Amino acid sequence: MLPHLAGVVVKSVRVGTNVVTFRTRSRTPRARCPRCGMPSRRAHSRYMRRVSDAPASGLQVVTEISVRRFRCGSTWCPAVTFVEQIPGLTSPHSRYTPVLRTLLARVAEALAGRPGARLAGKLGMPVSKDTLLRLLRAAPLPVTGAVRVLGVDEFALLKRHTYATLLVDLEALQPIDMLPGRQAEPIARGSPTTPKLRSPAATGLRPTRKLRGGRRPRRSRSPPCGTSGTTSLRPWRSA
């Protein structure tokens, strides 16, 4: 039922008004040093560690683990002591289990900061908006394949001072890259930061007249509702 708790012994379960607390300890009598990999049985000290876990029936779950600090027996290892980690339950310097971290990352991908924090709190996963944004920034970017229809748009990082150009795969509706500035030459040459983005000369993609001429795109007088478009650039399409 709870496979990520297979590495610990559950000593007690306390059910509160909104929180379920598991008191646990490790099953193994020894641990391996993360630096040199040598196993050790020499316990230096113990302390109680609290990690937030995935909710159960809408209630917040907290797992309290009595973790041990071991002495490393290797003479050449720089780590004198180290703390044991429970596979599938704990990771260094983390206050969330991998299961809860995955759930919060999905919430962050769908709703980002404040809306995601409100939804997570109602589902028994209280978290701050800043934590959700950190999880969102740490998420790996999707792998981009060959792009046939490329959308190009500009936006202001700092109005009237700093601009950037956004490249979007219009078929997959996914952003590909962001280029500094809003000149046409880097786009016509191809982006060096996106090696899978094929250049117009290699694939038959031809830029519009505005990109080929290198002039600044005209501003749209009446952008459609719900969009941030300030330009009227047409997408590149394969010939």
Side-chain angles (χ1 to χ4, degrees):
M1 183 177 177
L2 299 173
H4 60 290
L5 296 181
V8 296
V9 176
V10 179
K11 300 168 62 176
S12 64
V13 179
R14 185 173 65 254
V15 181
T17 305
N18 298 316
V19 181
V20 179
T21 305
F22 291 88
R23 295 184 65 90
T24 64
R25 63 173 177 84
S26 176
R27 289 182 180 271
T28 60
R30 60 182 183 177
R32 289 186 177 274
C33 176
R35 294 285 189 90
C36 63
M38 178 176 291
S40 175
R41 292 175 176 265
R42 300 173 57 192
H44 176 271
S45 58
R46 297 172 181 265
Y47 68 94
M48 190 65 66
R49 181 176 180 181
R50 293 170 57 91
V51 292
S52 298
D53 206 346
S57 301
L59 298 178
Q60 180 186 359
V61 176
V62 176
T63 302
E64 297 181 350
I65 313 165
S66 177
V67 297
R68 296 163 292 181
R69 181 178 291 273
F70 288 88
R71 298 180 185 272
C72 183
S74 176
T75 57
W76 53 267
C77 181
V80 179
T81 62
F82 63 92
V83 177
E84 64 177 338
Q85 301 294 335
I86 311 299
L89 187 61
T90 64
S91 56
H93 312 293
S94 178
R95 294 181 296 174
Y96 304 103
T97 63
V99 177
L100 180 58
R101 188 180 181 91
T102 301
L103 295 177
L104 293 176
R106 293 178 179 176
V107 172
E109 291 175 0
L111 298 176
R114 286 189 178 89
R118 288 195 294 267
L119 176 62
K122 294 182 180 297
L123 295 179
M125 302 180 293
V127 66
S128 66
K129 64 178 182 63
D130 295 328
T131 300
L132 289 179
L133 293 178
R134 281 196 298 268
L135 293 175
L136 188 60
R137 296 188 186 102
L141 296 177
V143 179
T144 303
V147 179
R148 296 195 314 113
V149 184
L150 179 66
V152 182
D153 198 0
E154 69 171 19
F155 66 98
L157 296 173
L158 182 61
K159 191 174 181 180
R160 297 182 182 178
H161 291 83
T162 307
Y163 290 85
T165 301
L166 182 66
L167 307 181
V168 181
D169 185 354
L170 294 184
E171 291 184 329
L173 300 180
Q174 293 290 337
I176 300 173
D177 197 2
M178 185 182 69
L179 304 179
R182 51 180 179 178
Q183 288 75 26
E185 289 79 7
I187 306 174
R189 291 195 305 264
S191 171
T193 60
T194 54
K196 292 187 178 181
L197 180 61
R198 298 176 295 180
S199 63
T203 61
L205 294 175
R206 52 186 178 81
T208 61
R209 292 181 179 179
K210 295 169 187 176
L211 287 178
R212 186 183 301 144
R215 296 191 297 271
R216 289 175 54 184
R218 293 181 301 174
R219 296 184 179 274
S220 176
R221 293 183 178 179
S222 57
C225 180
T227 63
S228 60
T230 58
T231 66
S232 58
L233 282 181
R234 293 174 293 173
W236 290 353
R237 292 186 180 273
S238 57

